Structure formats: C-alpha cells, structure tokens
Amino acid sequence: MRRGEVAVFKKYFSIEEANEQLPAVREELAHLQLLQRQLRSTYNHLQTLKKSKLEESRKIKDDIFILESSIEFLQIEADSLIRQLEHENIYIKSVSHGLVDFPAIVEGKEVFLCWKQGEEYVTHYHEISTSYENRKKIFATDDDQLGE
C-alpha cells in the first residue's frame, strides 16, 4: 500500500490475531530473505560474466542464459510469497529490514500494527499514511480499541 492510497482491507487484525500469525510470518520472511540473498548473488555472478571478454563463447552465453533464468525464477517465487501474504492481509514492508504490517482499527481509524523481525510480539502501530519510523507503542487501553 502506497502513501495517499485509500485503504480497503478484507480483514483487520487484533493484537492477538497478529501475534498468532507471527510464527508463519517469521518463516515466510526468512524464506524471502534467503531468496533476496540468492538473487543478489546470482545477479552479481551474471554481471561478472557479462563483463568478461569471453562473452562470445558458447559456454558463457549458456551460463548467462541459465543465470538470467534463475534470477527470473527467484523473482517469481519471491513475488508469489509476497502476494500470498498480501492475500491474507499481511504486508511485507521491507524484506531486508524484516518489517511487516497488519491492518487494524484503533479508535475508529485504520492503522497498521507493525512488527520488526527480532521482536517477540507485535507491540507497535502506525497510521496508514506513515511508516515504521512513526510507530507508536501499543498500550493496554489500545488493545480494547482494536477490532476486526
């Protein structure tokens, strides 16, 4: 979801529901991070091959094709994982930083419950139009305001 867009979500999470999703989210995020590392490594290898003076040889052309195909496959796999999570209304904001958002309602306003990899539980939220840097701590009274 980009800034300025009107939010329409199929589901709003309570803190408890978001926390229940964390084991699966942790696993998917770790997989996405692995794919991201593989993409970088494959891309760097491809660039090295393309810069070599042997680019005209048949073997190098075959290697380039294989690497380009691998990059495309890895990207498709990563996009598929992200779409699957978004279908469940879970939004990966940054694979590399491990930032994940869950739509919620606080005091009648749409917000994102936000979680960062390494945190044990969801403990913060931010407005839809802002980002992780603007997140606020959830207090016990906020939990009473969270609804589906």
Side-chain angles (χ1 to χ4, degrees), residues 30-73:
H31 190 181
L32 283 165
Q33 289 170 331
L34 173 64
L35 290 172
Q36 188 177 57
R37 287 189 301 274
Q38 291 173 330
L39 269 164
R40 276 193 200 114
S41 174
T42 305
Y43 177 79
N44 290 338
H45 188 97
L46 175 63
Q47 294 310 307
T48 300
L49 273 179
K50 284 185 170 185
K51 289 177 184 175
S52 78
K53 295 185 188 228
L54 302 172
E55 192 174 336
E56 295 304 315
S57 82
R58 180 76 176 139
K59 168 94 172 91
I60 297 293
K61 284 184 180 181
D62 288 347
D63 289 347
I64 288 173
F65 175 77
I66 290 168
L67 289 171
E68 287 174 340
S69 298
S70 294
I71 288 170
E72 190 173 328
F73 177 77

CSV table of all heavy atoms in Angstrom, one decimal, residues 30-73:
chain,number,residue,atom,x,y,z
A,30,ALA,N,11.9,-15.3,6.5
A,30,ALA,CA,13.2,-15.9,6.4
A,30,ALA,C,13.4,-16.5,5.0
A,30,ALA,O,14.5,-16.4,4.4
A,30,ALA,CB,13.4,-17.0,7.5
A,31,HIS,N,12.4,-17.1,4.5
A,31,HIS,CA,12.5,-17.6,3.1
A,31,HIS,C,12.7,-16.5,2.1
A,31,HIS,O,13.5,-16.6,1.2
A,31,HIS,CB,11.2,-18.4,2.8
A,31,HIS,CG,11.3,-19.2,1.5
A,31,HIS,ND1,10.3,-19.9,1.0
A,31,HIS,CD2,12.3,-19.3,0.6
A,31,HIS,CE1,10.6,-20.5,-0.1
A,31,HIS,NE2,11.8,-20.1,-0.4
A,32,LEU,N,12.0,-15.4,2.2
A,32,LEU,CA,12.1,-14.2,1.4
A,32,LEU,C,13.5,-13.6,1.5
A,32,LEU,O,14.1,-13.2,0.5
A,32,LEU,CB,11.1,-13.1,1.7
A,32,LEU,CG,9.7,-13.4,1.2
A,32,LEU,CD1,8.7,-12.4,1.9
A,32,LEU,CD2,9.6,-13.2,-0.3
A,33,GLN,N,14.1,-13.6,2.7
A,33,GLN,CA,15.4,-13.1,2.8
A,33,GLN,C,16.5,-14.0,2.2
A,33,GLN,O,17.4,-13.5,1.6
A,33,GLN,CB,15.7,-12.9,4.3
A,33,GLN,CG,15.0,-11.7,4.9
A,33,GLN,CD,15.0,-11.6,6.4
A,33,GLN,OE1,15.2,-12.6,7.1
A,33,GLN,NE2,14.9,-10.4,6.9
A,34,LEU,N,16.3,-15.3,2.2
A,34,LEU,CA,17.1,-16.2,1.5
A,34,LEU,C,17.0,-16.0,0.0
A,34,LEU,O,18.1,-15.9,-0.7
A,34,LEU,CB,16.7,-17.7,1.9
A,34,LEU,CG,17.4,-18.8,1.1
A,34,LEU,CD1,18.9,-18.8,1.4
A,34,LEU,CD2,16.8,-20.1,1.4
A,35,LEU,N,15.8,-15.9,-0.5
A,35,LEU,CA,15.6,-15.6,-1.9
A,35,LEU,C,16.3,-14.3,-2.3
A,35,LEU,O,17.0,-14.2,-3.4
A,35,LEU,CB,14.1,-15.5,-2.3
A,35,LEU,CG,13.4,-16.8,-2.2
A,35,LEU,CD1,11.9,-16.6,-2.4
A,35,LEU,CD2,13.9,-17.8,-3.3
A,36,GLN,N,16.2,-13.3,-1.4
A,36,GLN,CA,16.9,-12.0,-1.7
A,36,GLN,C,18.4,-12.2,-1.8
A,36,GLN,O,19.0,-11.6,-2.7
A,36,GLN,CB,16.5,-11.0,-0.6
A,36,GLN,CG,16.9,-9.6,-0.9
A,36,GLN,CD,16.4,-8.6,0.2
A,36,GLN,OE1,16.7,-8.8,1.3
A,36,GLN,NE2,15.7,-7.6,-0.2
A,37,ARG,N,19.0,-12.9,-0.9
A,37,ARG,CA,20.4,-13.2,-0.9
A,37,ARG,C,20.8,-13.9,-2.2
A,37,ARG,O,21.8,-13.6,-2.9
A,37,ARG,CB,20.9,-13.9,0.3
A,37,ARG,CG,20.9,-13.1,1.6
A,37,ARG,CD,21.6,-13.8,2.7
A,37,ARG,NE,20.9,-15.0,3.1
A,37,ARG,CZ,19.9,-15.1,3.9
A,37,ARG,NH1,19.4,-14.1,4.5
A,37,ARG,NH2,19.4,-16.3,4.2
A,38,GLN,N,20.0,-14.9,-2.6
A,38,GLN,CA,20.3,-15.7,-3.8
A,38,GLN,C,20.2,-14.8,-5.0
A,38,GLN,O,21.0,-15.0,-5.9
A,38,GLN,CB,19.3,-16.9,-3.9
A,38,GLN,CG,19.6,-18.0,-2.9
A,38,GLN,CD,18.5,-19.1,-2.9
A,38,GLN,OE1,17.3,-18.8,-3.2
A,38,GLN,NE2,18.9,-20.3,-2.5
A,39,LEU,N,19.2,-14.0,-5.0
A,39,LEU,CA,19.0,-13.0,-6.2
A,39,LEU,C,20.3,-12.1,-6.3
A,39,LEU,O,20.8,-12.0,-7.4
A,39,LEU,CB,17.8,-12.2,-6.0
A,39,LEU,CG,16.5,-12.7,-6.6
A,39,LEU,CD1,15.3,-11.9,-6.0
A,39,LEU,CD2,16.5,-12.5,-8.1
A,40,ARG,N,20.7,-11.6,-5.2
A,40,ARG,CA,21.9,-10.7,-5.2
A,40,ARG,C,23.1,-11.4,-5.7
A,40,ARG,O,23.9,-11.0,-6.6
A,40,ARG,CB,22.2,-10.1,-3.9
A,40,ARG,CG,21.4,-8.9,-3.6
A,40,ARG,CD,22.0,-8.2,-2.3
A,40,ARG,NE,20.9,-7.3,-1.8
A,40,ARG,CZ,20.3,-7.5,-0.6
A,40,ARG,NH1,20.7,-8.5,0.2
A,40,ARG,NH2,19.4,-6.7,-0.2
A,41,SER,N,23.3,-12.6,-5.2
A,41,SER,CA,24.5,-13.4,-5.6
A,41,SER,C,24.4,-13.8,-7.0
A,41,SER,O,25.5,-13.7,-7.8
A,41,SER,CB,24.5,-14.7,-4.7
A,41,SER,OG,25.6,-15.5,-5.1
A,42,THR,N,23.3,-14.3,-7.5
A,42,THR,CA,23.1,-14.7,-8.9
A,42,THR,C,23.3,-13.5,-9.8
A,42,THR,O,24.0,-13.5,-10.9
A,42,THR,CB,21.8,-15.3,-9.1
A,42,THR,OG1,21.6,-16.4,-8.2
A,42,THR,CG2,21.6,-15.9,-10.5
A,43,TYR,N,22.7,-12.3,-9.4
A,43,TYR,CA,22.9,-11.1,-10.2
A,43,TYR,C,24.3,-10.7,-10.3
A,43,TYR,O,24.8,-10.3,-11.4
A,43,TYR,CB,22.0,-10.0,-9.6
A,43,TYR,CG,22.1,-8.7,-10.4
A,43,TYR,CD1,21.5,-8.5,-11.6
A,43,TYR,CD2,23.0,-7.7,-9.9
A,43,TYR,CE1,21.6,-7.3,-12.3
A,43,TYR,CE2,23.1,-6.5,-10.6
A,43,TYR,CZ,22.4,-6.3,-11.8
A,43,TYR,OH,22.6,-5.1,-12.5
A,44,ASN,N,25.0,-10.7,-9.2
A,44,ASN,CA,26.5,-10.3,-9.2
A,44,ASN,C,27.3,-11.3,-10.1
A,44,ASN,O,28.1,-10.8,-10.9
A,44,ASN,CB,27.0,-10.3,-7.8
A,44,ASN,CG,26.5,-9.1,-7.0
A,44,ASN,OD1,26.0,-8.1,-7.5
A,44,ASN,ND2,26.5,-9.3,-5.7
A,45,HIS,N,27.0,-12.5,-10.0
A,45,HIS,CA,27.7,-13.5,-10.9
A,45,HIS,C,27.4,-13.2,-12.4
A,45,HIS,O,28.3,-13.3,-13.2
A,45,HIS,CB,27.3,-14.9,-10.5
A,45,HIS,CG,28.1,-16.0,-11.2
A,45,HIS,ND1,29.1,-16.6,-10.6
A,45,HIS,CD2,27.9,-16.6,-12.4
A,45,HIS,CE1,29.6,-17.5,-11.4
A,45,HIS,NE2,28.9,-17.5,-12.5
A,46,LEU,N,26.1,-12.9,-12.6
A,46,LEU,CA,25.7,-12.6,-14.0
A,46,LEU,C,26.5,-11.4,-14.5
A,46,LEU,O,27.0,-11.4,-15.7
A,46,LEU,CB,24.2,-12.4,-14.1
A,46,LEU,CG,23.7,-11.9,-15.4
A,46,LEU,CD1,23.9,-13.0,-16.5
A,46,LEU,CD2,22.2,-11.6,-15.3
A,47,GLN,N,26.6,-10.4,-13.7
A,47,GLN,CA,27.3,-9.1,-14.1
A,47,GLN,C,28.7,-9.4,-14.4
A,47,GLN,O,29.3,-8.9,-15.3
A,47,GLN,CB,27.1,-8.0,-13.1
A,47,GLN,CG,25.7,-7.5,-12.9
A,47,GLN,CD,25.0,-7.2,-14.3
A,47,GLN,OE1,25.6,-6.4,-15.1
A,47,GLN,NE2,23.9,-7.7,-14.6
A,48,THR,N,29.3,-10.2,-13.6
A,48,THR,CA,30.8,-10.6,-13.8
A,48,THR,C,30.9,-11.3,-15.1
A,48,THR,O,31.9,-11.0,-15.8
A,48,THR,CB,31.2,-11.5,-12.6
A,48,THR,OG1,31.1,-10.8,-11.4
A,48,THR,CG2,32.7,-11.9,-12.8
A,49,LEU,N,30.0,-12.3,-15.4
A,49,LEU,CA,30.1,-13.0,-16.6
A,49,LEU,C,29.9,-12.0,-17.8
A,49,LEU,O,30.6,-12.2,-18.8
A,49,LEU,CB,29.1,-14.1,-16.7
A,49,LEU,CG,29.4,-15.4,-16.1
A,49,LEU,CD1,28.2,-16.4,-16.3
A,49,LEU,CD2,30.7,-16.0,-16.8
A,50,LYS,N,29.0,-11.1,-17.7
A,50,LYS,CA,28.7,-10.2,-18.9
A,50,LYS,C,29.9,-9.3,-19.1
A,50,LYS,O,30.1,-8.8,-20.2
A,50,LYS,CB,27.4,-9.4,-18.6
A,50,LYS,CG,26.2,-10.2,-18.8
A,50,LYS,CD,25.0,-9.3,-18.6
A,50,LYS,CE,23.7,-10.1,-19.1
A,50,LYS,NZ,22.5,-9.2,-19.0
A,51,LYS,N,30.7,-9.0,-18.1
A,51,LYS,CA,31.8,-8.1,-18.3
A,51,LYS,C,33.1,-8.8,-18.8
A,51,LYS,O,34.0,-8.2,-19.2
A,51,LYS,CB,32.1,-7.4,-16.9
A,51,LYS,CG,31.1,-6.4,-16.5
A,51,LYS,CD,31.5,-5.8,-15.2
A,51,LYS,CE,30.4,-4.9,-14.7
A,51,LYS,NZ,30.6,-4.4,-13.4
A,52,SER,N,33.0,-10.2,-18.7
A,52,SER,CA,34.2,-10.9,-19.2
A,52,SER,C,34.4,-10.8,-20.7
A,52,SER,O,33.5,-10.6,-21.4
A,52,SER,CB,34.1,-12.4,-18.7
A,52,SER,OG,33.3,-13.1,-19.6
A,53,LYS,N,35.6,-10.9,-21.1
A,53,LYS,CA,36.0,-10.8,-22.5
A,53,LYS,C,35.6,-12.1,-23.3
A,53,LYS,O,35.6,-12.1,-24.5
A,53,LYS,CB,37.4,-10.5,-22.7
A,53,LYS,CG,37.8,-9.2,-22.1
A,53,LYS,CD,39.2,-8.8,-22.4
A,53,LYS,CE,39.5,-7.5,-21.6
A,53,LYS,NZ,40.1,-6.5,-22.3
A,54,LEU,N,35.2,-13.1,-22.5
A,54,LEU,CA,34.9,-14.4,-23.1
A,54,LEU,C,33.4,-14.5,-23.5
A,54,LEU,O,32.9,-15.5,-23.8
A,54,LEU,CB,35.2,-15.5,-22.2
A,54,LEU,CG,36.7,-15.6,-21.7
A,54,LEU,CD1,36.8,-16.7,-20.6
A,54,LEU,CD2,37.6,-16.0,-22.9
A,55,GLU,N,32.7,-13.3,-23.4
A,55,GLU,CA,31.2,-13.3,-23.5
A,55,GLU,C,30.8,-14.0,-24.8
A,55,GLU,O,29.7,-14.4,-25.0
A,55,GLU,CB,30.7,-11.9,-23.5
A,55,GLU,CG,29.2,-11.8,-23.3
A,55,GLU,CD,28.8,-10.4,-23.1
A,55,GLU,OE1,29.5,-9.6,-22.6
A,55,GLU,OE2,27.6,-10.1,-23.4
A,56,GLU,N,31.6,-14.0,-25.8
A,56,GLU,CA,31.2,-14.5,-27.1
A,56,GLU,C,31.3,-16.0,-27.2
A,56,GLU,O,30.7,-16.6,-28.0
A,56,GLU,CB,32.2,-14.0,-28.2
A,56,GLU,CG,32.0,-12.5,-28.4
A,56,GLU,CD,30.6,-12.0,-28.7
A,56,GLU,OE1,30.0,-12.7,-29.6
A,56,GLU,OE2,30.2,-11.1,-28.1
A,57,SER,N,31.9,-16.7,-26.2
A,57,SER,CA,32.0,-18.1,-26.3
A,57,SER,C,30.6,-18.7,-26.0
A,57,SER,O,29.8,-18.2,-25.3
A,57,SER,CB,33.0,-18.7,-25.3
A,57,SER,OG,32.5,-18.7,-24.0
A,58,ARG,N,30.3,-19.9,-26.5
A,58,ARG,CA,29.0,-20.6,-26.4
A,58,ARG,C,28.8,-20.9,-24.9
A,58,ARG,O,27.7,-20.8,-24.4
A,58,ARG,CB,29.1,-21.8,-27.3
A,58,ARG,CG,27.8,-22.6,-27.2
A,58,ARG,CD,26.8,-21.9,-28.0
A,58,ARG,NE,25.6,-22.8,-28.0
A,58,ARG,CZ,24.3,-22.3,-27.9
A,58,ARG,NH1,24.2,-21.0,-27.9
A,58,ARG,NH2,23.3,-23.1,-27.9
A,59,LYS,N,29.8,-21.4,-24.2
A,59,LYS,CA,29.6,-21.8,-22.8
A,59,LYS,C,29.2,-20.6,-22.0
A,59,LYS,O,28.3,-20.7,-21.2
A,59,LYS,CB,31.0,-22.3,-22.3
A,59,LYS,CG,31.0,-22.5,-20.8
A,59,LYS,CD,30.6,-23.9,-20.3
A,59,LYS,CE,30.9,-24.1,-18.9
A,59,LYS,NZ,29.8,-23.8,-18.0
A,60,ILE,N,29.8,-19.4,-22.2
A,60,ILE,CA,29.5,-18.2,-21.4
A,60,ILE,C,28.0,-17.8,-21.7
A,60,ILE,O,27.3,-17.4,-20.8
A,60,ILE,CB,30.5,-17.1,-21.7
A,60,ILE,CG1,31.9,-17.4,-21.2
A,60,ILE,CG2,30.0,-15.8,-21.0
A,60,ILE,CD1,32.0,-17.6,-19.7
A,61,LYS,N,27.7,-17.9,-23.0
A,61,LYS,CA,26.3,-17.5,-23.4
A,61,LYS,C,25.3,-18.4,-22.7
A,61,LYS,O,24.2,-18.0,-22.2
A,61,LYS,CB,26.1,-17.5,-24.9
A,61,LYS,CG,26.7,-16.4,-25.6
A,61,LYS,CD,26.5,-16.4,-27.1
A,61,LYS,CE,27.1,-15.2,-27.8
A,61,LYS,NZ,26.9,-15.2,-29.2
A,62,ASP,N,25.6,-19.7,-22.6
A,62,ASP,CA,24.7,-20.6,-21.9
A,62,ASP,C,24.6,-20.3,-20.5
A,62,ASP,O,23.6,-20.3,-19.9
A,62,ASP,CB,25.2,-22.1,-22.1
A,62,ASP,CG,25.0,-22.6,-23.6
A,62,ASP,OD1,24.3,-22.0,-24.3
A,62,ASP,OD2,25.6,-23.6,-23.9
A,63,ASP,N,25.8,-20.0,-19.8
A,63,ASP,CA,25.8,-19.7,-18.4
A,63,ASP,C,25.0,-18.4,-18.2
A,63,ASP,O,24.3,-18.3,-17.2
A,63,ASP,CB,27.3,-19.5,-17.9
A,63,ASP,CG,28.0,-20.8,-17.8
A,63,ASP,OD1,27.4,-21.8,-17.9
A,63,ASP,OD2,29.3,-20.7,-17.7
A,64,ILE,N,25.1,-17.4,-19.1
A,64,ILE,CA,24.3,-16.2,-18.9
A,64,ILE,C,22.9,-16.5,-19.0
A,64,ILE,O,22.1,-16.0,-18.2
A,64,ILE,CB,24.8,-15.1,-20.0
A,64,ILE,CG1,26.2,-14.6,-19.6
A,64,ILE,CG2,23.7,-14.0,-20.1
A,64,ILE,CD1,26.8,-13.7,-20.7
A,65,PHE,N,22.5,-17.3,-19.9
A,65,PHE,CA,21.0,-17.7,-20.0
A,65,PHE,C,20.5,-18.4,-18.8
A,65,PHE,O,19.5,-18.1,-18.3
A,65,PHE,CB,20.8,-18.6,-21.3
A,65,PHE,CG,19.4,-19.1,-21.4
A,65,PHE,CD1,18.4,-18.3,-21.8
A,65,PHE,CD2,19.1,-20.4,-21.0
A,65,PHE,CE1,17.1,-18.8,-21.9
A,65,PHE,CE2,17.8,-20.9,-21.0
A,65,PHE,CZ,16.8,-20.1,-21.5
A,66,ILE,N,21.3,-19.3,-18.2
A,66,ILE,CA,21.0,-20.0,-17.0
A,66,ILE,C,20.8,-19.0,-15.8
A,66,ILE,O,19.9,-19.1,-15.1
A,66,ILE,CB,22.0,-21.1,-16.7
A,66,ILE,CG1,21.8,-22.3,-17.8
A,66,ILE,CG2,21.8,-21.7,-15.3
A,66,ILE,CD1,22.9,-23.3,-17.7
A,67,LEU,N,21.8,-18.1,-15.7
A,67,LEU,CA,21.7,-17.2,-14.6
A,67,LEU,C,20.5,-16.2,-14.8
A,67,LEU,O,19.8,-15.9,-13.8
A,67,LEU,CB,23.0,-16.4,-14.5
A,67,LEU,CG,24.2,-17.1,-14.0
A,67,LEU,CD1,25.5,-16.3,-14.2
A,67,LEU,CD2,24.0,-17.6,-12.6
A,68,GLU,N,20.3,-15.8,-16.0
A,68,GLU,CA,19.1,-14.9,-16.2
A,68,GLU,C,17.8,-15.6,-15.9
A,68,GLU,O,16.9,-15.1,-15.3
A,68,GLU,CB,19.1,-14.4,-17.6
A,68,GLU,CG,20.1,-13.3,-17.9
A,68,GLU,CD,20.3,-12.9,-19.3
A,68,GLU,OE1,19.8,-13.6,-20.2
A,68,GLU,OE2,20.8,-11.8,-19.6
A,69,SER,N,17.7,-16.9,-16.2
A,69,SER,CA,16.5,-17.7,-15.9
A,69,SER,C,16.4,-17.9,-14.4
A,69,SER,O,15.3,-17.9,-13.9
A,69,SER,CB,16.6,-19.1,-16.6
A,69,SER,OG,16.7,-18.9,-18.0
A,70,SER,N,17.5,-18.1,-13.8
A,70,SER,CA,17.5,-18.3,-12.3
A,70,SER,C,17.0,-17.1,-11.6
A,70,SER,O,16.2,-17.1,-10.7
A,70,SER,CB,18.9,-18.7,-11.8
A,70,SER,OG,19.3,-19.9,-12.3
A,71,ILE,N,17.5,-15.9,-12.1
A,71,ILE,CA,17.0,-14.6,-11.5
A,71,ILE,C,15.5,-14.5,-11.7
A,71,ILE,O,14.8,-14.1,-10.7
A,71,ILE,CB,17.8,-13.4,-12.1
A,71,ILE,CG1,19.2,-13.5,-11.6
A,71,ILE,CG2,17.1,-12.1,-11.8
A,71,ILE,CD1,20.1,-12.5,-12.3
A,72,GLU,N,15.0,-14.8,-12.9
A,72,GLU,CA,13.6,-14.7,-13.1
A,72,GLU,C,12.8,-15.6,-12.2
A,72,GLU,O,11.8,-15.2,-11.7
A,72,GLU,CB,13.3,-15.0,-14.6
A,72,GLU,CG,11.9,-14.6,-15.0
A,72,GLU,CD,11.7,-14.8,-16.5
A,72,GLU,OE1,12.7,-14.6,-17.3
A,72,GLU,OE2,10.6,-15.1,-16.9
A,73,PHE,N,13.3,-16.8,-12.1
A,73,PHE,CA,12.6,-17.8,-11.2
A,73,PHE,C,12.5,-17.3,-9.8
A,73,PHE,O,11.5,-17.4,-9.1
A,73,PHE,CB,13.2,-19.2,-11.4
A,73,PHE,CG,12.6,-20.2,-10.5
A,73,PHE,CD1,11.4,-20.8,-10.8
A,73,PHE,CD2,13.2,-20.5,-9.3
A,73,PHE,CE1,10.8,-21.7,-9.9
A,73,PHE,CE2,12.6,-21.5,-8.4
A,73,PHE,CZ,11.4,-22.0,-8.7
